[in-house]
Amino acid sequence: MSIDWRPTAEIATLRERARLTGQVRAFFAARQVLEVETPMLGHGGSTDVHLDSLSCEATTSAGRERLWMQTSPECHMKRLLAAGSGPIFQLARSVRDGEVGKRHNLEFTMLEWYRPGFSLAALIDETDALIREVLPQDPGPQRRHRYRDLFRESLAIDPFTASIDALRQLAGTRGDLDMAGAERDDCLDLLMSLVIEPTLGREGLDVVIDYPASQAALARQHRDPEDGEWVASRFEVYLEGLELANGYDELTDANEQQARFHEDNAARRALGKPQVTPDERLVAALRSGMPAGSGVALGLDRLFQLALGRDSVAEVMAFSTPSA
């Protein structure tokens, strides 16, 4: 049997990738943002119900331990912030189980950076500037959209006030699925991915803000001025129907962070998903005092895919997971 040993990206593409990576590093060097490296393995994994962490058994100074492959460098980088690092960025190898497709790979490169003292609006503008630095063509104007307004415009429904029955019916119809018993966020995620996301970033760089509070993850929350509804202080950036970046006004409350870890694992249990060990070192770092500020994670392979005009992330990686 013949084994295909060849790279999934052309060598010329890899040269272009190296050039673009240099541009990214120069972008942050000009802004005096420190490049750091953090471990791919940690004692805690991501408890996020929408992410699936991989783990391994390893021999350490403490003996045989279960270590978690990091779905992003977030927890380690926040520990650096708490230790006084100042603004930092990283080109991190990240691993997520089940991430397969033209836009996904089990192993990928996450560009993540943190800006102590930055507002979310300031970080949105810096993310916009970074994307424009890498793309060979002008992506068009930046446009900001409130999450609930997108649902109102595209689906004639308010995602915050609609009944769960209405959301299940709409999601089932749009997805041609049986959504009976589905949770609220499951319905919203399906509608977002099937109906709204494909339309975003077609006439510019679209930024979505004010997500439901239930989707805050590791972000702060604030009140929607329209009706006082709690919303997540986060944003996502889209271009050509592709999600490129996800940013937060970072949560700094240790007790709230610990509570969210427990809530995530409870949700995982309810769905029959395996439990994930929370990163207690992050909680300890927050107790010691992490400076207020904002951070963002950007899928570098996706950005390079768009910049180089390729059809999949595999075409800008030396070896995608199936061929590795």
Side-chain angles (χ1 to χ4, degrees), residues 65-247:
E65 290 191 275
R66 187 182 196 187
L67 297 178
W68 296 90
M69 298 180 189
Q70 300 301 287
T71 58
S72 91
E74 181 169 6
C75 292
H76 284 111
M77 292 183 77
K78 287 181 174 178
R79 288 164 61 187
L80 289 175
L81 292 170
S85 67
I88 52 176
F89 84 98
Q90 181 171 186
L91 305 176
R93 299 300 292 174
S94 302
V95 179
R96 296 180 180 180
D97 195 15
E99 298 276 335
V100 178
K102 292 179 68 175
R103 302 177 173 187
H104 301 88
N105 196 64
L106 294 183
E107 189 179 347
F108 59 97
T109 301
M110 184 79 84
L111 167 60
E112 195 153 325
W113 74 98
Y114 292 86
R115 286 294 215 155
F118 259 42
S119 68
L120 207 60
L123 189 61
I124 288 173
D125 286 339
E126 186 167 71
T127 305
D128 178 292
L130 182 278
I131 291 170
R132 293 175 192 276
E133 180 77 15
V134 171
L135 293 176
Q137 70 286 341
D138 182 358
Q142 180 198 122
R143 304 181 303 176
R144 299 187 190 186
H145 312 270
R146 295 166 74 237
Y147 179 95
R148 71 192 305 186
D149 287 342
L150 288 174
F151 274 78
R152 288 164 168 168
E153 295 161 8
S154 300
L155 293 160
I157 196 169
D158 188 324
F160 294 174
T161 61
S163 69
I164 184 60
D165 289 337
L167 288 174
R168 286 169 179 164
Q169 181 177 3
L170 184 59
T173 300
R174 290 293 186 139
D176 193 23
L177 296 168
D178 180 5
M179 299 297 288
E183 298 292 334
R184 189 177 197 87
D185 279 333
D186 294 332
C187 297
L188 294 178
D189 288 344
L190 185 144
L191 292 168
M192 184 72 176
S193 63
L194 288 183
V195 180
I196 297 174
E197 285 185 357
T199 70
L200 297 176
R202 300 298 181 182
E203 298 177 0
L205 206 62
D206 283 331
V207 182
V208 183
I209 61 174
D210 294 348
Y211 281 74
S214 58
Q215 299 178 24
L218 305 188
R220 293 177 185 266
Q221 299 177 15
H222 66 273
R223 295 283 191 179
D224 188 329
E226 176 181 327
D227 56 8
E229 187 82 27
W230 282 105
V231 292
S233 304
R234 56 173 287 211
F235 69 88
E236 291 192 1
V237 179
Y238 289 86
L239 184 60
E240 296 183 22
L242 192 64
E243 180 205 335
L244 289 181
N246 184 12

Side-chain angles (χ1 to χ4, degrees), residues 20-29 89 91 111 130 134 300 304:
L20 294 176
T21 300
Q23 286 184 218
V24 170
R25 286 193 161 103
F27 177 89
F28 288 109
F89 84 98
L91 305 176
L111 167 60
L130 182 278
V134 171
L300 203 62
F304 288 169

